[in-house]
Amino acid sequence: SPTGDSWGIFTFLCAALCNLPALPALNCSEELGAGQSIQQTYDLTRYLEHQLRTLAGTYLNYLGPPFNEPDFNPPRLARAERVPSATVDLDLWRGLTDNARLAANYRAYSRLLCYLRVLDGQVGTAELRHRLAHFCASLQGLVLSIGGVMSSLGYPLPAGPAAPPAGPPGAPAAPNDFLKKMDDFWLLKELQTWLWRSAKDFNRLKKKVPPAVVTLRLEARGF
């Protein structure tokens, strides 16, 4: 009968499966290579650009006039030279090797992060401290992400500074409140320029490096 035939086939299949040797297991995994690392770093850079626009506006309002005025564009003071400058000729910058640009980004963000952490300890409002702390955490993630890209491409990591370079022994951080605010202004301005240029760097780099490849791996069991 049809019912008997079905039961016989089912019994046969069960017996066959029980006597099969262990089969290789299929494992679908994504190779986390340089392409994906570069994409993640690019995405984080663009996120930080967006985050900084809000933070910078809030912080400049905290500093007050003239720093929060749209047309305020002071000359860069010698004091601000300690902050890593992104004002390098674009043709010269593009002429550098990928390794040199990545190392420059890594060193710059490591130092900028140190300055921002000092800034975080000096502001007077809890909301602004919270925003600065959140941004510092994101920027720390960018430093680590750039380090991951360098490692995936086989480049050595440059040594990052442990703290911002200090001035002469016993010298105050700034002679007066206005110059201290000017230091903060230039820190934010340079950070904006670095992030803008880094986004372009990683966008070009991800076009040179192929994306991650999805592969099927066989994990032999029982052989």
Side-chain angles (χ1 to χ4, degrees), residues 138-194:
S138 299
L139 192 61
Q140 176 66 57
L142 180 60
V143 174
L144 295 174
S145 191
I146 294 173
V149 170
M150 296 187 72
S151 297
S152 67
L153 293 174
Y155 300 144
L157 293 181
N176 56 56
D177 186 59
F178 181 83
L179 291 180
K180 169 63 178 64
K181 291 180 178 180
M182 187 72 81
D183 289 346
D184 297 350
F185 174 86
W186 274 106
L187 173 60
L188 295 173
K189 191 175 181 67
E190 287 294 349
L191 187 53
Q192 285 176 322
T193 308
W194 271 105

Short mmCIF file of all heavy atoms in Angstrom, two decimals, residues 138-194:
data_model
loop_
_atom_site.label_atom_id
_atom_site.label_comp_id
_atom_site.label_asym_id
_atom_site.label_seq_id
_atom_site.Cartn_x
_atom_site.Cartn_y
_atom_site.Cartn_z
N SER A 138 34.80 58.24 20.63
CA SER A 138 34.71 57.96 19.20
C SER A 138 36.06 58.18 18.52
O SER A 138 36.47 57.41 17.64
CB SER A 138 33.65 58.85 18.54
OG SER A 138 32.37 58.61 19.09
N LEU A 139 36.78 59.23 18.93
CA LEU A 139 38.08 59.51 18.32
C LEU A 139 39.10 58.44 18.71
O LEU A 139 39.95 58.07 17.90
CB LEU A 139 38.56 60.90 18.76
CG LEU A 139 39.77 61.46 17.99
CD1 LEU A 139 39.44 61.60 16.50
CD2 LEU A 139 40.20 62.80 18.56
N GLN A 140 39.00 57.95 19.93
CA GLN A 140 39.86 56.83 20.33
C GLN A 140 39.59 55.61 19.43
O GLN A 140 40.51 54.91 19.02
CB GLN A 140 39.61 56.46 21.79
CG GLN A 140 40.38 55.24 22.29
CD GLN A 140 41.87 55.48 22.32
OE1 GLN A 140 42.35 56.41 22.97
NE2 GLN A 140 42.62 54.64 21.63
N GLY A 141 38.32 55.40 19.11
CA GLY A 141 37.97 54.32 18.19
C GLY A 141 38.58 54.52 16.82
O GLY A 141 39.01 53.56 16.17
N LEU A 142 38.65 55.79 16.36
CA LEU A 142 39.25 56.07 15.06
C LEU A 142 40.75 55.76 15.08
O LEU A 142 41.28 55.19 14.12
CB LEU A 142 39.01 57.53 14.67
CG LEU A 142 39.60 57.97 13.32
CD1 LEU A 142 39.02 57.15 12.17
CD2 LEU A 142 39.37 59.46 13.09
N VAL A 143 41.43 56.14 16.15
CA VAL A 143 42.87 55.84 16.27
C VAL A 143 43.10 54.33 16.19
O VAL A 143 43.98 53.85 15.46
CB VAL A 143 43.44 56.41 17.58
CG1 VAL A 143 44.89 55.96 17.78
CG2 VAL A 143 43.36 57.94 17.59
N LEU A 144 42.30 53.57 16.93
CA LEU A 144 42.43 52.12 16.91
C LEU A 144 42.10 51.55 15.52
O LEU A 144 42.74 50.60 15.06
CB LEU A 144 41.50 51.50 17.96
CG LEU A 144 41.84 51.82 19.42
CD1 LEU A 144 40.76 51.26 20.35
CD2 LEU A 144 43.21 51.26 19.80
N SER A 145 41.10 52.14 14.87
CA SER A 145 40.70 51.67 13.55
C SER A 145 41.79 51.93 12.52
O SER A 145 42.07 51.09 11.66
CB SER A 145 39.39 52.35 13.14
OG SER A 145 38.84 51.76 11.99
N ILE A 146 42.43 53.10 12.59
CA ILE A 146 43.54 53.40 11.68
C ILE A 146 44.69 52.42 11.93
O ILE A 146 45.33 51.93 11.00
CB ILE A 146 44.01 54.85 11.85
CG1 ILE A 146 42.91 55.82 11.39
CG2 ILE A 146 45.28 55.11 11.05
CD1 ILE A 146 43.21 57.28 11.67
N GLY A 147 44.94 52.13 13.20
CA GLY A 147 45.95 51.14 13.53
C GLY A 147 45.62 49.78 12.94
O GLY A 147 46.50 49.06 12.46
N GLY A 148 44.33 49.42 12.95
CA GLY A 148 43.90 48.15 12.36
C GLY A 148 44.12 48.12 10.86
O GLY A 148 44.52 47.09 10.30
N VAL A 149 43.86 49.25 10.18
CA VAL A 149 44.11 49.32 8.74
C VAL A 149 45.59 49.14 8.45
O VAL A 149 45.98 48.38 7.55
CB VAL A 149 43.61 50.67 8.18
CG1 VAL A 149 44.08 50.85 6.73
CG2 VAL A 149 42.10 50.75 8.24
N MET A 150 46.44 49.82 9.22
CA MET A 150 47.88 49.72 9.01
C MET A 150 48.36 48.29 9.20
O MET A 150 49.16 47.77 8.42
CB MET A 150 48.62 50.68 9.94
CG MET A 150 48.32 52.15 9.68
SD MET A 150 49.34 53.28 10.64
CE MET A 150 50.93 53.08 9.82
N SER A 151 47.88 47.64 10.25
CA SER A 151 48.27 46.26 10.51
C SER A 151 47.82 45.33 9.39
O SER A 151 48.56 44.45 8.96
CB SER A 151 47.70 45.79 11.85
OG SER A 151 48.23 46.54 12.93
N SER A 152 46.58 45.53 8.90
CA SER A 152 46.06 44.66 7.84
C SER A 152 46.81 44.85 6.54
O SER A 152 46.85 43.93 5.70
CB SER A 152 44.57 44.94 7.64
OG SER A 152 44.35 46.24 7.12
N LEU A 153 47.42 46.03 6.34
CA LEU A 153 48.21 46.27 5.14
C LEU A 153 49.69 45.96 5.33
O LEU A 153 50.49 46.13 4.40
CB LEU A 153 48.05 47.74 4.70
CG LEU A 153 46.65 48.14 4.22
CD1 LEU A 153 46.58 49.64 3.95
CD2 LEU A 153 46.26 47.37 2.96
N GLY A 154 50.05 45.52 6.55
CA GLY A 154 51.44 45.16 6.81
C GLY A 154 52.35 46.32 7.16
O GLY A 154 53.57 46.20 7.08
N TYR A 155 51.77 47.47 7.56
CA TYR A 155 52.57 48.64 7.92
C TYR A 155 52.80 48.67 9.43
O TYR A 155 51.90 48.34 10.21
CB TYR A 155 51.87 49.94 7.51
CG TYR A 155 51.59 50.07 6.03
CD1 TYR A 155 50.43 50.69 5.58
CD2 TYR A 155 52.48 49.58 5.08
CE1 TYR A 155 50.15 50.82 4.23
CE2 TYR A 155 52.22 49.71 3.73
CZ TYR A 155 51.05 50.33 3.31
OH TYR A 155 50.79 50.45 1.97
N PRO A 156 53.99 49.09 9.87
CA PRO A 156 54.23 49.20 11.32
C PRO A 156 53.49 50.40 11.91
O PRO A 156 53.29 51.42 11.24
CB PRO A 156 55.75 49.41 11.40
CG PRO A 156 56.11 50.04 10.09
CD PRO A 156 55.17 49.46 9.06
N LEU A 157 53.09 50.27 13.16
CA LEU A 157 52.40 51.37 13.83
C LEU A 157 53.41 52.39 14.35
O LEU A 157 54.38 52.02 14.99
CB LEU A 157 51.57 50.85 15.00
CG LEU A 157 50.37 49.97 14.68
CD1 LEU A 157 49.67 49.57 15.97
CD2 LEU A 157 49.41 50.69 13.76
N PRO A 158 53.18 53.69 14.08
CA PRO A 158 54.05 54.70 14.67
C PRO A 158 53.75 54.86 16.15
O PRO A 158 52.64 54.58 16.60
CB PRO A 158 53.69 55.97 13.89
CG PRO A 158 52.29 55.75 13.45
CD PRO A 158 52.13 54.27 13.23
N ALA A 159 54.72 55.31 16.89
CA ALA A 159 54.52 55.54 18.32
C ALA A 159 53.69 56.80 18.50
O ALA A 159 54.02 57.86 17.98
CB ALA A 159 55.86 55.69 19.03
N GLY A 160 52.59 56.69 19.25
CA GLY A 160 51.74 57.84 19.52
C GLY A 160 52.19 58.56 20.77
O GLY A 160 52.75 57.94 21.69
N PRO A 161 51.96 59.87 20.88
CA PRO A 161 52.35 60.62 22.08
C PRO A 161 51.50 60.25 23.27
O PRO A 161 50.31 59.99 23.14
CB PRO A 161 52.14 62.09 21.68
CG PRO A 161 51.05 62.02 20.64
CD PRO A 161 51.25 60.71 19.90
N ALA A 162 52.11 60.19 24.43
CA ALA A 162 51.37 59.89 25.65
C ALA A 162 50.63 61.11 26.16
O ALA A 162 49.64 61.00 26.88
CB ALA A 162 52.32 59.38 26.72
N ALA A 163 51.09 62.29 25.80
CA ALA A 163 50.46 63.52 26.29
C ALA A 163 50.84 64.65 25.34
O ALA A 163 51.82 64.55 24.60
CB ALA A 163 50.93 63.84 27.71
N PRO A 164 50.09 65.76 25.33
CA PRO A 164 50.47 66.91 24.51
C PRO A 164 51.83 67.43 24.92
O PRO A 164 52.19 67.38 26.10
CB PRO A 164 49.37 67.94 24.81
CG PRO A 164 48.23 67.15 25.35
CD PRO A 164 48.84 65.99 26.06
N PRO A 165 52.63 67.91 23.96
CA PRO A 165 53.93 68.44 24.31
C PRO A 165 53.81 69.62 25.27
O PRO A 165 52.98 70.50 25.09
CB PRO A 165 54.52 68.88 22.96
CG PRO A 165 53.34 69.00 22.04
CD PRO A 165 52.33 68.02 22.52
N ALA A 166 54.62 69.63 26.28
CA ALA A 166 54.55 70.68 27.30
C ALA A 166 55.37 71.89 26.89
O ALA A 166 56.29 71.80 26.08
CB ALA A 166 55.07 70.13 28.62
N GLY A 167 55.02 73.02 27.46
CA GLY A 167 55.78 74.23 27.22
C GLY A 167 56.98 74.29 28.15
O GLY A 167 57.34 73.30 28.79
N PRO A 168 57.64 75.44 28.25
CA PRO A 168 58.79 75.58 29.15
C PRO A 168 58.39 75.28 30.59
O PRO A 168 57.24 75.50 30.99
CB PRO A 168 59.19 77.06 28.98
CG PRO A 168 58.60 77.47 27.66
CD PRO A 168 57.35 76.67 27.50
N PRO A 169 59.31 74.74 31.39
CA PRO A 169 58.98 74.41 32.79
C PRO A 169 58.45 75.63 33.54
O PRO A 169 59.01 76.73 33.48
CB PRO A 169 60.34 73.98 33.36
CG PRO A 169 61.12 73.52 32.17
CD PRO A 169 60.69 74.39 31.03
N GLY A 170 57.32 75.44 34.19
CA GLY A 170 56.73 76.51 34.98
C GLY A 170 55.88 77.47 34.19
O GLY A 170 55.26 78.36 34.77
N ALA A 171 55.83 77.29 32.86
CA ALA A 171 55.05 78.23 32.04
C ALA A 171 53.57 77.90 32.13
O ALA A 171 53.20 76.74 32.14
CB ALA A 171 55.51 78.17 30.58
N PRO A 172 52.70 78.89 32.20
CA PRO A 172 51.25 78.62 32.24
C PRO A 172 50.77 78.09 30.91
O PRO A 172 51.42 78.26 29.88
CB PRO A 172 50.65 79.99 32.55
CG PRO A 172 51.65 80.98 32.02
CD PRO A 172 53.01 80.34 32.23
N ALA A 173 49.62 77.45 30.92
CA ALA A 173 49.06 76.90 29.69
C ALA A 173 48.77 78.02 28.68
O ALA A 173 48.95 77.84 27.49
CB ALA A 173 47.79 76.13 29.99
N ALA A 174 48.32 79.17 29.14
CA ALA A 174 48.08 80.32 28.29
C ALA A 174 48.22 81.58 29.13
O ALA A 174 47.82 81.58 30.29
CB ALA A 174 46.69 80.25 27.66
N PRO A 175 48.82 82.65 28.56
CA PRO A 175 49.02 83.88 29.34
C PRO A 175 47.72 84.51 29.81
O PRO A 175 47.69 85.15 30.85
CB PRO A 175 49.75 84.81 28.34
CG PRO A 175 50.36 83.89 27.34
CD PRO A 175 49.41 82.73 27.23
N ASN A 176 46.64 84.35 29.05
CA ASN A 176 45.37 84.94 29.47
C ASN A 176 44.22 84.11 28.92
O ASN A 176 44.42 83.19 28.11
CB ASN A 176 45.27 86.41 29.02
CG ASN A 176 45.45 86.54 27.52
OD1 ASN A 176 44.74 85.91 26.74
ND2 ASN A 176 46.41 87.37 27.10
N ASP A 177 43.02 84.45 29.34
CA ASP A 177 41.84 83.67 28.98
C ASP A 177 41.57 83.72 27.49
O ASP A 177 41.14 82.71 26.89
CB ASP A 177 40.63 84.20 29.76
CG ASP A 177 39.39 83.34 29.55
OD1 ASP A 177 39.45 82.14 29.87
OD2 ASP A 177 38.37 83.86 29.05
N PHE A 178 41.81 84.86 26.85
CA PHE A 178 41.56 84.98 25.42
C PHE A 178 42.45 84.03 24.63
O PHE A 178 41.98 83.34 23.71
CB PHE A 178 41.77 86.42 24.95
CG PHE A 178 41.49 86.62 23.48
CD1 PHE A 178 40.19 86.83 23.04
CD2 PHE A 178 42.52 86.58 22.56
CE1 PHE A 178 39.92 87.00 21.68
CE2 PHE A 178 42.26 86.74 21.20
CZ PHE A 178 40.96 86.96 20.76
N LEU A 179 43.73 83.96 24.98
CA LEU A 179 44.64 83.07 24.26
C LEU A 179 44.32 81.61 24.53
O LEU A 179 44.51 80.75 23.66
CB LEU A 179 46.09 83.38 24.65
CG LEU A 179 46.64 84.72 24.15
CD1 LEU A 179 48.08 84.91 24.59
CD2 LEU A 179 46.54 84.80 22.62
N LYS A 180 43.82 81.30 25.73
CA LYS A 180 43.40 79.94 26.01
C LYS A 180 42.21 79.57 25.11
O LYS A 180 42.16 78.46 24.54
CB LYS A 180 42.98 79.82 27.47
CG LYS A 180 42.27 78.52 27.85
CD LYS A 180 43.18 77.32 27.66
CE LYS A 180 42.50 76.03 28.08
NZ LYS A 180 41.33 75.71 27.25
N LYS A 181 41.28 80.48 24.96
CA LYS A 181 40.14 80.24 24.07
C LYS A 181 40.61 80.12 22.61
O LYS A 181 40.07 79.32 21.83
CB LYS A 181 39.11 81.35 24.20
CG LYS A 181 38.38 81.36 25.53
CD LYS A 181 37.36 82.48 25.59
CE LYS A 181 36.60 82.45 26.92
NZ LYS A 181 35.59 83.54 26.99
N MET A 182 41.64 80.89 22.26
CA MET A 182 42.18 80.80 20.90
C MET A 182 42.79 79.42 20.66
O MET A 182 42.63 78.84 19.57
CB MET A 182 43.25 81.88 20.69
CG MET A 182 43.75 81.97 19.26
SD MET A 182 42.54 82.67 18.12
CE MET A 182 42.77 84.42 18.46
N ASP A 183 43.47 78.87 21.67
CA ASP A 183 44.00 77.50 21.55
C ASP A 183 42.88 76.51 21.30
O ASP A 183 42.99 75.61 20.45
CB ASP A 183 44.75 77.11 22.84
CG ASP A 183 46.07 77.84 22.99
OD1 ASP A 183 46.54 78.45 22.01
OD2 ASP A 183 46.63 77.80 24.11
N ASP A 184 41.79 76.65 22.04
CA ASP A 184 40.65 75.74 21.88
C ASP A 184 40.03 75.88 20.49
O ASP A 184 39.65 74.89 19.85
CB ASP A 184 39.59 76.02 22.94
CG ASP A 184 40.09 75.76 24.36
OD1 ASP A 184 41.19 75.19 24.50
OD2 ASP A 184 39.38 76.15 25.31
N PHE A 185 39.93 77.12 20.02
CA PHE A 185 39.37 77.39 18.70
C PHE A 185 40.18 76.68 17.62
O PHE A 185 39.63 76.02 16.73
CB PHE A 185 39.34 78.90 18.45
CG PHE A 185 38.92 79.29 17.06
CD1 PHE A 185 37.58 79.43 16.73
CD2 PHE A 185 39.87 79.52 16.08
CE1 PHE A 185 37.19 79.79 15.45
CE2 PHE A 185 39.49 79.88 14.80
CZ PHE A 185 38.15 80.02 14.48
N TRP A 186 41.51 76.81 17.68
CA TRP A 186 42.36 76.20 16.67
C TRP A 186 42.38 74.68 16.77
O TRP A 186 42.51 73.98 15.77
CB TRP A 186 43.79 76.77 16.76
CG TRP A 186 43.92 78.03 15.97
CD1 TRP A 186 44.00 79.30 16.44
CD2 TRP A 186 43.92 78.12 14.55
NE1 TRP A 186 44.06 80.19 15.40
CE2 TRP A 186 44.03 79.49 14.23
CE3 TRP A 186 43.85 77.20 13.51
CZ2 TRP A 186 44.06 79.95 12.91
CZ3 TRP A 186 43.89 77.65 12.20
CH2 TRP A 186 44.00 79.01 11.91
N LEU A 187 42.22 74.17 17.97
CA LEU A 187 42.14 72.72 18.13
C LEU A 187 40.94 72.17 17.36
O LEU A 187 41.06 71.20 16.60
CB LEU A 187 42.03 72.37 19.62
CG LEU A 187 41.77 70.90 19.95
CD1 LEU A 187 42.89 70.01 19.44
CD2 LEU A 187 41.61 70.72 21.47
N LEU A 188 39.78 72.80 17.52
CA LEU A 188 38.58 72.36 16.82
C LEU A 188 38.70 72.57 15.31
O LEU A 188 38.28 71.72 14.52
CB LEU A 188 37.35 73.10 17.35
CG LEU A 188 36.99 72.82 18.82
CD1 LEU A 188 35.86 73.74 19.26
CD2 LEU A 188 36.61 71.37 19.02
N LYS A 189 39.30 73.69 14.92
CA LYS A 189 39.44 74.01 13.49
C LYS A 189 40.34 72.99 12.81
O LYS A 189 40.03 72.49 11.72
CB LYS A 189 40.01 75.42 13.33
CG LYS A 189 39.95 75.96 11.91
CD LYS A 189 40.41 77.41 11.89
CE LYS A 189 40.34 78.00 10.48
NZ LYS A 189 38.96 78.14 10.00
N GLU A 190 41.48 72.66 13.43
CA GLU A 190 42.39 71.69 12.83
C GLU A 190 41.77 70.30 12.81
O GLU A 190 41.95 69.54 11.85
CB GLU A 190 43.71 71.65 13.60
CG GLU A 190 44.60 72.86 13.39
CD GLU A 190 45.11 72.96 11.95
OE1 GLU A 190 44.96 72.00 11.17
OE2 GLU A 190 45.67 74.02 11.60
N LEU A 191 41.02 69.96 13.85
CA LEU A 191 40.38 68.66 13.89
C LEU A 191 39.36 68.51 12.76
O LEU A 191 39.26 67.46 12.12
CB LEU A 191 39.69 68.47 15.25
CG LEU A 191 39.09 67.11 15.56
CD1 LEU A 191 40.09 65.99 15.36
CD2 LEU A 191 38.55 67.08 16.98
N GLN A 192 38.62 69.59 12.49
CA GLN A 192 37.67 69.56 11.38
C GLN A 192 38.38 69.32 10.05
O GLN A 192 37.93 68.53 9.21
CB GLN A 192 36.89 70.87 11.32
CG GLN A 192 35.82 71.02 12.39
CD GLN A 192 35.14 72.37 12.35
OE1 GLN A 192 35.77 73.39 12.11
NE2 GLN A 192 33.84 72.38 12.60
N THR A 193 39.52 69.99 9.86
CA THR A 193 40.26 69.84 8.61
C THR A 193 40.86 68.44 8.48
O THR A 193 40.84 67.84 7.40
CB THR A 193 41.39 70.90 8.52
OG1 THR A 193 40.83 72.20 8.75
CG2 THR A 193 42.04 70.88 7.15
N TRP A 194 41.39 67.90 9.57
CA TRP A 194 41.93 66.55 9.55
C TRP A 194 40.86 65.54 9.16
O TRP A 194 41.08 64.65 8.33
CB TRP A 194 42.52 66.18 10.91
CG TRP A 194 43.97 66.55 11.06
CD1 TRP A 194 44.48 67.59 11.79
CD2 TRP A 194 45.09 65.88 10.49
NE1 TRP A 194 45.86 67.61 11.69
CE2 TRP A 194 46.26 66.58 10.89
CE3 TRP A 194 45.24 64.77 9.65
CZ2 TRP A 194 47.54 66.18 10.51
CZ3 TRP A 194 46.51 64.39 9.26
CH2 TRP A 194 47.64 65.09 9.68
#
